[in-house]
Amino acid sequence: MPETSTAAPAEPGTNWAGNVAYRAARLHRPASLAELQSVVAGSERVKALGSRHCFNDIADTPADLVALDRLPGEVVLEPAPDGDGGTAWVPGGARYSEVVPHLAEHGSALHNLASLPHITVAGATATGTHGSGNRNGSLSTAVVGLELVRADGELVRLAPGDPDFAGAVVHLGALGVVTRIGLRYQPAFQVRTDVYVELTWERLFADFDAVADAAYSVSVFTDWREVTQVWVKARTDEHAVVPEEFFGARAATEPTHMLPGTPVENLTDQLGLPGEWHERLPHFRTGFTPSSGEELQTEYFVPRQHGREACEALRSLAHRIAPLLQVSELRTVAADDLWLSPAYGGDVLALHFTWLPEEERVRALLPAIEAALRPYGARPHWGKLFTTGADELAALYPRMGSFRELVRRFDPQGVFRNAYLDRTVAAFA
């Protein structure tokens, strides 16, 4: 006999930014895998709810939301036979802030982390979220195993080599509820962060590839009128000496926030102080509100070879962007073969916007930004604000047709279908 779900009327809850109010009639917090399977199999429409850090309605549904914070499980490390790394099995509801200390305690590391550690592993990898670095793939490229509950309640396991695996990693919540995820880990390493100011656009464009390749991870911050800061995160085993000048920019002499006037206490350490990978690769500390706390976000990915032209196109809109902008960040991400990854098929430049919390004005501006970037094949971040529709997205993703077929096989009745997927994937059109 299936277990009865622990369900309650949905809280009048919103996403992290407060711009999406979830419409679900019920919020479930299952305490066992069997209970989760019962909820999914018994629902007409259901979506998984993670850290609520998406800025759009990707997790919205009128029926049932499922939070996995009560589902039992722990991080389990499976060393590789050669002893050089292995697989970390992570519960579906776990956040990076809960996973990385466990890895660090065992002398292990992930290859990359996002700007903030507050997000869930399952949600970040399902949307192609990324860290940065010319040779670093997105967070999704660390995935080497998935366990998810399909629409009929069956637990399905996928691994590299399975024909569906490359399509299932960046799944947008369309295939099922992830209960466990396997991440490739490696030996731990140390990183130092140095911040530079007064880099010019001219010097950046003259040496763009060299700037991006100068360290393990490089972030360029801008308001589109000028370059405001460059954060250079170098592995100490790769870069023994970090210069006082960086392509003509000078080193900051005190901790510096990318958002002027914001307290620096919520940032990870700078000024070249070496630290463990998980204490330097994110921009923000775990115990503090990330970024400004009151914001919206948008991000687009363009092929790296079009980076300069894309930036020039955005600079022409600086007079419209700047009044709504808190800061923009430019980062590179290495290519991968995951069907719906923004880096599918080639290295990309990520163009990130942190906006003031003025959604109506931001949404009114997005079509102009997307039009400016359209000649360069810009793909939007799946978890942030954008207006690009299903037809254009299908043209940007060569395997979109294959993904639609995968969705129909895993979810023929549209249990995980919602308005977001209808706008972007149109699997049931």
Side-chain angles (χ1 to χ4, degrees), residues 325-414:
L325 187 69
Q326 297 194 46
V327 71
S328 271
E329 182 179 7
L330 315 182
R331 291 183 286 176
T332 55
V333 185
D336 61 55
D337 63 354
L338 306 175
W339 296 356
L340 291 196
S341 166
Y344 176 84
D347 300 336
V348 293
L349 173 66
L351 307 163
H352 182 274
F353 301 80
T354 299
W355 303 106
L356 296 171
E358 299 187 29
E359 185 169 7
E360 185 175 348
R361 295 177 64 196
V362 169
R363 285 191 177 277
L365 177 59
L366 294 184
I369 291 176
E370 291 168 0
L373 296 177
R374 187 166 288 118
Y376 313 110
R379 295 166 172 168
H381 190 301
W382 295 108
K384 301 183 180 181
L385 295 177
F386 63 92
T387 67
T388 313
D391 289 344
E392 186 173 350
L393 288 167
L396 292 169
Y397 285 93
R399 299 301 302 273
M400 181 64 83
S402 301
F403 183 74
R404 289 171 174 168
E405 294 175 7
L406 183 62
V407 172
R408 289 192 286 267
R409 277 197 288 114
F410 270 64
D411 185 16
Q413 303 303 318

Side-chain angles (χ1 to χ4, degrees), residues 14-318:
T14 68
N15 63 342
W16 179 79
N19 68 308
V20 175
Y22 297 111
R23 301 173 299 144
R26 293 166 295 278
L27 175 63
H28 304 261
R29 284 195 162 93
S32 69
L33 175 59
E35 189 179 339
L36 171 63
Q37 292 173 293
S38 178
V39 170
V40 173
S43 178
E44 293 184 4
R45 294 288 175 89
V46 63
K47 301 298 291 186
L49 186 64
S51 60
R52 305 181 182 225
H53 207 270
C54 283
F55 293 81
N56 57 38
D57 57 346
I58 189 171
D60 195 23
T61 179
D64 296 293
L65 282 176
V66 177
L68 304 184
D69 52 346
R70 293 185 60 219
L71 207 62
E74 58 185 8
V75 179
V76 177
L77 303 187
E78 294 182 353
D82 61 7
D84 188 19
T87 300
W89 285 98
V90 175
R95 301 174 186 238
Y96 280 94
S97 58
E98 299 162 346
V99 173
V100 295
H102 185 84
L103 285 167
E105 288 172 6
H106 289 80
S108 301
L110 300 177
H111 80 289
N112 214 344
L113 290 173
S115 298
L116 51 94
H118 308 68
I119 54 181
T120 60
V121 175
T125 55
T127 53
T129 299
H130 60 96
S132 65
N134 276 3
R135 296 176 298 279
N136 299 329
S138 71
L139 305 184
S140 308
T141 62
V143 176
V144 291
L146 280 176
E147 295 183 0
L148 57 85
V149 175
R150 207 169 53 184
D152 58 3
E154 181 180 350
L155 183 68
V156 178
R157 295 179 173 89
L158 296 169
D162 293 338
D164 296 332
F165 185 75
V169 174
V170 181
H171 56 81
L172 313 183
L175 302 181
V177 177
V178 173
T179 59
R180 214 164 67 122
I181 187 166
L183 302 177
R184 182 187 301 108
Y185 68 83
Q186 63 185 54
F189 54 91
Q190 288 203 328
V191 176
R192 58 176 290 170
T193 302
D194 293 86
V195 177
Y196 296 88
V197 296
E198 299 177 1
L199 178 68
T200 65
W201 280 112
E202 291 72 23
R203 190 66 184 274
L204 174 61
F205 288 150
D207 298 300
F208 185 84
D209 286 337
V211 169
D213 204 37
Y216 193 74
S217 171
V218 176
S219 294
V220 176
F221 292 95
T222 179
D223 60 7
W224 296 107
R225 292 172 294 202
E226 62 181 4
V227 178
T228 55
Q229 300 170 26
V230 184
W231 291 26
V232 180
K233 300 186 178 188
R235 285 182 60 148
T236 58
D237 57 349
E238 295 178 348
H239 292 77
V241 178
V242 176
E244 293 185 8
E245 288 195 355
F246 184 81
F247 297 90
R250 63 175 178 85
T253 57
E254 59 184 11
T256 305
H257 204 292
M258 72 284 286
L259 298 172
T262 304
V264 298
E265 287 77 13
N266 64 347
L267 299 176
T268 50
D269 287 331
Q270 304 172 9
L271 301 179
L273 180 66
E276 293 299 318
W277 60 282
H278 65 292
E279 297 174 339
R280 295 294 182 275
L281 289 179
H283 294 339
F284 302 98
R285 297 178 189 267
T286 300
F288 291 81
T289 299
S291 197
S292 72
E294 295 182 3
E295 65 192 58
L296 300 171
Q297 292 182 15
T298 292
E299 189 166 27
Y300 300 94
F301 302 81
V302 298
R304 260 188 64 191
Q305 66 265 30
H306 298 317
R308 175 170 182 162
E309 294 90 342
C311 288
E312 291 284 21
L314 293 174
R315 288 181 70 198
S316 72
L317 295 173

